[in-house]
Amino acid sequence: MQFIADNMLGRLAKYLRIMGFDTLYPPRRDAHYRFATNLPNRKFLTRNSKYRQNATDSKALYINTETLSEQLRLVVNTLHLSIDSKRFFSRCLICNARLLSIPKEAARESVPPKSYSSHSDFVKCPQCGKIYWQGSHYQRMLATLHQIFPEL
Ligand SMILES: [Zn+2]
């Protein structure tokens, strides 16, 4: 399932990406609905209570909670998403593109020397060029996911 999140749901969008779900997060406020309308295969996630009535609509999911933990559980439970930890960290957190493995040598120029020497696996976003590795950021986000989904 693919998503488009409104501009109140930046953290939710980020964590959906971390979990490997294809999630658009358009930068402009007015773009959300237009995007959502033009992209019929994407579920529109919104904090806008105008969509409350459409809670069961196939198009929009009204998010009626504040915290990341509740929001993420709401999306996963309501839409019966299956969580697959093998897909975690497979998308760029900035632009949503699928990350590609790169040879360690190719990361040398772009990664701090300490991270370069202590990690062997690096992935790169083909769209924005950002390079990721399983450092402390990764560990923190993974810990957050395990807190939200203790069953993982
Ligand atoms: Zn990117």
Side-chain angles (χ1 to χ4, degrees), residues 91-97 99 124-130 132:
R91 289 188 176 272
C92 180
L93 301 187
I94 297 162
C95 54
N96 192 45
L99 299 171
K124 183 175 185 177
C125 173
Q127 209 159 298
C128 72
K130 188 172 167 63
Y132 295 85

Side-chain angles (χ1 to χ4, degrees), residues 3-71:
F3 302 100
I4 177 164
D6 82 13
N7 69 321
M8 298 287 288
L9 293 170
R11 244 186 130 215
L12 175 64
K14 179 182 167 189
Y15 270 83
L16 285 170
R17 284 179 182 172
I18 291 170
M19 293 168 78
F21 293 107
D22 180 342
T23 307
L24 296 184
Y25 181 61
R28 281 176 49 221
R29 178 183 280 266
D30 63 342
H32 299 111
Y33 188 71
R34 196 157 40 79
F35 269 107
T37 319
N38 291 337
L39 299 168
N41 295 327
R42 287 187 184 265
K43 179 74 83 178
F44 183 41
L45 305 175
T46 181
R47 285 285 283 146
N48 187 335
S49 58
K50 151 170 120 178
Y51 297 97
R52 190 195 303 266
Q53 311 302 4
N54 299 334
T56 54
D57 184 317
S58 59
K59 182 74 218 150
L61 178 63
Y62 171 58
I63 306 291
N64 65 345
T65 58
E66 295 274 342
T67 67
L68 171 69
S69 161
E70 289 171 337
Q71 292 176 343

Side-chain angles (χ1 to χ4, degrees), residues 75-92:
V75 172
V76 166
N77 294 340
T78 310
L79 304 175
H80 309 290
L81 301 181
S82 59
I83 301 175
D84 180 357
S85 57
K86 287 195 287 296
R87 291 187 316 190
F88 286 4
F89 303 97
S90 59
R91 289 188 176 272
C92 180

Side-chain angles (χ1 to χ4, degrees), residues 118-137:
S118 53
H119 293 89
S120 48
D121 297 321
F122 294 89
V123 289
K124 183 175 185 177
C125 173
Q127 209 159 298
C128 72
K130 188 172 167 63
I131 292 178
Y132 295 85
W133 61 94
Q134 299 187 350
S136 55
H137 271 89

